[in-house]
Amino acid sequence: PWLARAGAPLRPGALSLLARFPTRLWARLGERARWGVALAMPALSAALSFAALSWTSDIRALYQAPPELAAQEAVVRDVVRRDAANQYFLVTASSAQGVLEKSEALTGELRAVVQRGALGGFTALSDYLPSAERQAANYRALKAGLYGADGPVWRYMAAVGFEGPAMDQHRAVFAAAQDAYLAVDAAMAALPRELRRLWLGDIDGRYATVIVLRGVNELEPLRRLAESASGVYFVDNVADISAALDAQRAAATRLLGAAYGVVGLLLLACYRRLRALALLLPVLVASFLTLAVLVASGVELGLFHVFALFLILGLGMDYSIFLHSSAEGNPACALAVLLSALTSALSFGLLSLSSTPMVQAFGITVLLGSLFNVLLAPLARLGRV
């Protein structure tokens, strides 16, 4: 108020003429024509925006690395064969042996996926620590083959000069190993750290291990494998975060609708006339037209587009209330609305030049919304009572 006491005189100029342009544009139409346009534009703009509406909540769309950096990362990943940190299998069972058995069954399926090219490779603890059932099967295969009654082992020992007592001792050692299985705890002490980290052990009565993946090219075959086996889970952190973003986007959209409803109730409580809801028309149309332009440009809408719509609502309601409360040809109010829209377009709209997709999405939405707000704001005078 102290700064406003001087009341600097408004000098007509190009900016003032531009400020009065929206008012003069709508003044050429009669009140009935303006009401018709004001009621038809929300439906038309909504139809345009929803005709090809496409939502995306992929977390990878929020940041895109430069092509040179992405190419370098791909080369390094191929050289060091780094695991896919965001995608892996979690295998659980009620016992340690049950986990190893499920892991063995899953690795058999994963090898077929690798052969089809959907997966580059994987690392599973069960390839280095077989289950007791697999160890018993291996022993039976050795007993029937290499260590049979006239197996290659005994023929080789006889050929190189071993005598009966040495061969009998070797038979006794092999027979004693029949029930001597390699235990998990003993194996953990001998395995390298890269493999020990795959064993999660006992967690609240359930044993678990991780199968890490490399070069994931297709996700659907991996999801089907997890769905077909109990206690096996395909963890995709990228998809989980994207699902969380999608839930936030849906919640923000519902809150935006609630905000429009609350604003409408406040307008009715203040002016006590149904016509007061016309103050919402410019903002509503501006929001739908902004979405229509984005959709027509092939933009997939996301969470930050919805956030920007809140700002369009707040700024647009200011313009509507100011013009509704001022005289029809008040140049000072029109200039104030234009300056407010231009400063908003500069402060927020310049974010549309950012190379970060989420910042760019917010900026371009506010930029378009500010321009539509100032162009449609004179329609708020339809709500005068």
Side-chain angles (χ1 to χ4, degrees):
W2 182 80
L3 294 174
R5 277 188 230 169
L10 182 65
R11 298 179 179 178
L15 197 58
S16 298
L17 294 176
L18 182 61
R20 291 194 294 269
F21 171 75
T23 301
R24 292 177 175 177
L25 177 65
W26 292 107
R28 293 181 179 180
L29 299 177
E31 185 175 0
R32 289 186 178 180
R34 276 184 285 175
W35 269 109
V37 172
L39 294 176
M41 286 186 69
L44 179 60
S45 56
L48 290 175
S49 59
F50 288 115
L53 183 62
S54 177
W55 294 99
T56 179
S57 298
D58 193 344
I59 185 64
R60 290 166 292 195
L62 299 183
Y63 173 76
Q64 296 176 354
E68 299 82 5
L69 183 60
Q72 293 175 10
E73 183 182 358
V75 172
V76 173
R77 183 169 55 248
D78 292 338
V79 172
V80 302
R81 297 176 63 85
R82 190 183 67 185
D83 301 328
N86 294 319
Q87 296 158 329
Y88 55 89
F89 278 99
L90 179 66
V91 183
T92 64
S94 58
S95 65
Q97 291 302 319
V99 168
L100 294 176
E101 291 172 7
K102 286 185 178 181
S103 179
E104 289 168 348
L106 181 59
T107 54
E109 300 288 344
L110 285 176
R111 289 187 178 90
V113 176
V114 172
Q115 290 179 354
R116 294 197 300 268
L119 181 65
F122 61 90
T123 302
L125 182 64
S126 58
D127 286 344
Y128 303 87
L129 174 59
S131 65
E133 182 179 350
R134 177 65 59 86
Q135 293 180 52
N138 291 341
Y139 184 88
R140 291 192 296 270
L142 289 172
K143 186 176 181 179
L146 292 175
Y147 289 87
D150 191 26
V153 171
W154 316 122
R155 294 198 301 270
Y156 173 77
M157 292 183 69
V160 298
F162 282 97
E163 297 180 353
M167 297 174 67
D168 291 340
Q169 182 181 4
H170 195 64
R171 286 191 179 93
V173 171
F174 179 73
Q178 180 172 356
D179 297 321
Y181 301 119
L182 179 61
V184 174
D185 294 338
M188 288 298 109
L191 290 174
R193 179 178 177 275
E194 289 74 14
L195 294 176
R196 291 200 306 270
R197 66 187 176 93
L198 302 180
W199 181 252
L200 304 182
D202 185 0
I203 303 176
D204 297 332
R206 296 283 294 181
Y207 288 83
T209 185
V210 171
I211 299 178
V212 295
L213 309 174
R214 295 188 303 274
V216 178
N217 298 319
E218 298 180 24
L219 294 176
E220 195 57 34
L222 303 179
R223 293 195 179 102
R224 287 199 299 266
L225 287 180
E227 293 171 356
S228 62
S230 62
V232 177
Y233 307 94
F234 176 61
V235 180
D236 187 353
N237 288 327
V238 173
D240 293 342
I241 296 175
S242 298
L245 285 176
D246 189 63
Q248 291 185 3
R249 191 265 310 163
T253 304
R254 290 192 295 269
L255 287 175
L256 181 62
Y260 270 93
V262 171
V263 169
L265 292 176
L266 289 175
L267 292 174
L268 290 175
C270 178
Y271 296 103
R272 301 181 182 276
R273 294 291 189 276
L274 193 61
R275 289 170 63 110
L277 292 178
L279 274 71
L280 271 172
L281 282 177
V283 186
L284 187 64
V285 175
S287 298
F288 279 130
L289 284 178
T290 299
L291 295 179
V293 171
L294 293 174
V295 169
S297 302
V299 176
E300 289 185 317
L301 304 181
L303 178 63
F304 287 88
H305 294 96
V306 179
F307 285 165
L309 293 177
F310 281 93
L311 194 57
I312 294 174
L313 170 61
L315 294 172
M317 284 309 305
D318 287 345
Y319 307 158
S320 294
I321 292 173
F322 293 156
L323 290 177
H324 174 271
S325 304
S326 67
E328 184 77 27
N330 188 348
C333 183
L335 182 60
V337 169
L338 177 65
L339 289 176
S340 177
L342 291 179
T343 53
S344 298
L346 288 173
S347 57
F348 292 103
L350 285 178
L351 296 178
S352 60
L353 302 179
S354 173
S355 59
T356 304
M358 58 182 177
V359 178
Q360 183 187 71
F362 187 85
I364 189 64
T365 306
V366 176
L367 174 62
L368 292 173
S370 297
L371 297 178
F372 284 128
N373 269 336
V374 72
L375 183 63
L376 298 168
L379 288 175
R381 291 198 171 99
L382 293 174
R384 285 185 171 176
V385 294

